[in-house]
Amino acid sequence: KKYSDVDFTVVAGASRTSVDFFINQITNAAAKGYSVVAINTGGTAKQIAPAINKSIAEGVKYISFDGAVPDSPGMSSKIEYSNYGASKLVAQEYMKLLPKGGKIGIIRMFQGLPDCDAFIDGFKDGIKGSNLTVVAEGDCKADPVQARRIAENMLTANPDLVGIYDSVDVSAQGTFEAIKAAKANVILASIGGQLYAAKAIAEGGAWKFTVPYPFEQMGQQAVIAARSLALGQKVESTITIAPLPP
């Protein structure tokens, strides 16, 4: 939807870890006349926090979506998906598919960022009391190439692995290739709901399900919140989108 009462500009870096790009945009936000910035930090939240804090001191209001900035307490709002709840749904599906239990590997992204850690914490809490056991973990930083290497090592070290939970679809592509190459009887699951994941699932291979991640809804909420702040209206400090079933 277009709004006649505010002007929006959309800019994007080359990748989720383009720290220099983020810092440059943030540093120049006040000089460019921006009153509000809605930012998807990717994997850069810790590195760009000082620049955000300085920009806030210069009068610019900030909203995070799809990636909080815990080191910037002056943020006006954060828009989040219930990553914890979504990963508990993953756990529930695994327990249905593997009623006898077994060994599970986890491939995560950006360890230490609260939003990313929630993808793992919810899963671990979700399998408590079941016969599923996490025996291996790795951080691929949302990179399919790294995910494939981690998955290969997991499969070699744990030939009796029954499942690998890769926290996001993008890196699960690499994990999927590792499982196929090893011809392993392993169930792959992820979060994202991307079309390429749905296609792989439909083909009936190791990739069994993906829990949707509402990127569009988060972006829409960010635009709505940014407009409200620009017009001097109140915005909730935290806006949480409930998890969706696979």
Side-chain angles (χ1 to χ4, degrees):
K1 179 179 179 179
K2 293 183 178 180
Y3 295 102
S4 60
D5 48 7
V6 292
D7 292 324
F8 283 95
T9 301
V10 179
V11 295
S15 74
R16 292 179 62 83
T17 55
S18 300
V19 175
D20 292 341
F21 166 82
F22 279 109
I23 291 176
N24 178 265
Q25 294 294 322
I26 293 163
T27 300
N28 293 303
K32 290 181 177 180
Y34 293 119
S35 58
V36 181
V37 173
I39 184 168
N40 180 334
T41 62
T44 67
K46 290 185 177 181
Q47 297 98 316
I48 67 177
I52 289 177
N53 295 338
K54 182 178 179 182
S55 186
I56 290 172
E58 293 172 345
V60 182
K61 296 180 174 64
Y62 278 80
I63 298 166
S64 67
F65 66 102
D66 188 29
V69 190
D71 295 328
S72 294
M75 299 284 290
S76 296
S77 181
K78 67 174 179 179
I79 298 166
E80 62 182 15
Y81 182 48
S82 179
N83 295 346
Y84 181 87
S87 59
K88 288 195 81 171
L89 290 178
V90 174
Q92 291 170 13
E93 289 297 313
Y94 264 115
M95 289 187 289
K96 290 177 186 176
L97 293 170
L98 297 167
K100 293 182 179 179
K103 296 179 179 179
I104 299 285
I106 291 177
I107 299 178
R108 64 192 302 153
M109 64 172 183
F110 305 119
Q111 185 170 6
L113 293 181
D115 288 353
C116 297
D117 289 346
F119 281 125
I120 309 306
D121 296 340
F123 180 80
K124 288 181 175 178
D125 286 347
I127 64 171
K128 285 179 179 178
S130 75
N131 292 319
L132 293 171
T133 305
V134 176
V135 296
E137 296 186 51
D139 184 350
C140 72
K141 297 176 173 58
D143 180 356
V145 175
Q146 291 192 50
R148 178 167 185 166
R149 183 172 62 251
I150 293 168
E152 288 170 345
N153 291 337
M154 283 183 179
L155 293 167
T156 300
N158 303 277
D160 54 348
L161 210 64
V162 297
I164 296 179
Y165 162 46
D166 193 319
S167 63
V168 291
D169 285 356
V170 63
S171 52
Q173 296 173 98
T175 302
F176 186 41
E177 292 303 318
I179 294 171
K180 287 196 295 184
K183 297 179 179 173
N185 186 22
V186 171
I187 291 176
L188 171 63
S190 55
I191 294 175
Q194 298 297 299
L195 288 176
Y196 54 78
K199 181 179 178 180
I201 292 164
E203 292 172 353
W207 204 338
K208 296 300 184 186
F209 66 93
T210 176
V211 172
Y213 192 97
F215 294 100
E216 294 85 356
Q217 188 176 354
M218 295 187 76
Q220 290 169 356
Q221 289 294 327
V223 168
I224 292 169
R227 173 177 176 268
S228 295
L229 282 176
L231 296 175
Q233 299 169 2
K234 184 179 179 181
V235 173
E236 295 295 328
S237 59
T238 301
I239 300 170
T240 303
I241 299 171
L244 303 168

